[in-house]
Amino acid sequence: MSAREEHLVELVDETGKAHGEMTVAAAHQPPGQLHRAFSVLLVDPDGQVLLQRRAAIKTRFPLRWANSCCGHPQPGESLAEAANRRLREELGTGPVELTEVGVYVYYAEDPATGRVEFEYDHVLRGDFLPAAPLQPSPDEVAELRWADPAALEAELDLDPRSYAPWLGGVVNRLLHPSGATPGVPGSAVTPPGSSADDTAERSGGR
């Protein structure tokens, strides 16, 4: 088990209100505990989104194509801090300014590993600059590719087993921003040390 599986996550209700904490490993054991998470989509100037194929050693949905990076804020950690930490750990890039485009609540079971995803998922968009470095960690990422998000929606319908089951909801929030976070619709999530300038759904399988 990786050290990250022993990190704490924030348990929430279906409105996003926190009510406790638990380790990553425990929260993903059946039947699953609803907890706060985030999914980042990096978007280039042409509107393409960066996808990663999850590494084979992942404990949940290995070797599936997913969004640019995912993770869980630890209790007391802001979304900006957590998302930029994971961008650095997974992709060797960042920090970037992120904008929340919606929330996606879903439940997903991985038949291959027996783990469960039950997440209150903040969908975050970040603008990727072509000159920014990308140095993916082999422990996190098997490969990367860019995709047109509208075409990706069609691919998800045609070949769902190649993709992480949460990706459809994440892409939908990007294409149809909902501003679903109570009190902060479409809010900017600014990385630490930077200035602001520089619908619940269920899925059958994360």
Side-chain angles (χ1 to χ4, degrees):
M1 180 184 298
S2 72
R4 201 156 53 84
E5 292 286 295
E6 294 305 313
H7 288 176
L8 294 176
V9 297
E10 189 173 62
L11 301 179
V12 299
D13 63 21
E14 291 202 9
T15 70
K17 182 179 179 180
H19 62 78
E21 56 190 45
M22 183 177 286
T23 66
V24 171
H28 291 85
Q29 292 293 332
Q33 299 292 322
L34 182 61
H35 58 279
R36 194 178 313 282
F38 59 83
S39 292
V40 176
L41 275 168
L42 295 179
V43 184
D44 77 4
D46 295 324
Q48 302 276 300
V49 296
L50 181 66
L51 302 182
Q52 66 154 277
R53 191 175 183 218
R54 292 164 65 82
I57 64 172
K58 289 280 194 178
T59 59
R60 299 176 296 280
F61 297 98
L63 297 177
R64 300 277 195 109
W65 286 99
N67 47 283
S68 308
C69 86
C70 297
H72 311 94
Q74 298 181 52
E77 185 180 29
S78 72
L79 286 172
E81 291 172 328
N84 276 290
R85 170 172 55 81
R86 292 302 292 152
L87 282 168
R88 182 177 65 253
E89 293 169 351
E90 293 191 27
L91 300 176
T93 194
V96 298
E97 184 175 333
L98 301 163
T99 299
E100 184 167 330
V101 295
V103 170
Y104 176 44
V105 180
Y106 69 92
Y107 180 86
E109 299 174 359
D110 184 352
T113 67
R115 304 300 207 285
V116 171
E117 296 274 8
F118 190 17
E119 300 197 332
Y120 188 93
D121 191 21
H122 298 263
V123 180
L124 308 175
R125 174 197 166 122
D127 291 327
F128 182 81
L129 302 177
L134 281 174
Q135 299 176 315
S137 166
D139 291 336
E140 303 279 359
V141 181
E143 56 184 307
L144 297 172
R145 70 180 173 95
W146 292 91
D148 174 81
L152 181 58
E153 280 196 312
E155 292 177 29
L156 286 162
D157 289 335
L158 291 172
D159 186 20
R161 292 179 181 272
S162 293
Y163 296 92
W166 64 87
L167 182 59
V170 171
V171 172
N172 177 270
R173 297 302 185 276
L174 177 72
L175 293 174
H176 310 286
S178 65
T181 304
V184 285
S187 58
V189 181
T190 305
S194 300
S195 72
D197 293 333
D198 294 350
T199 13
E201 295 181 16
R202 290 283 184 267
S203 172
R206 177 173 175 170

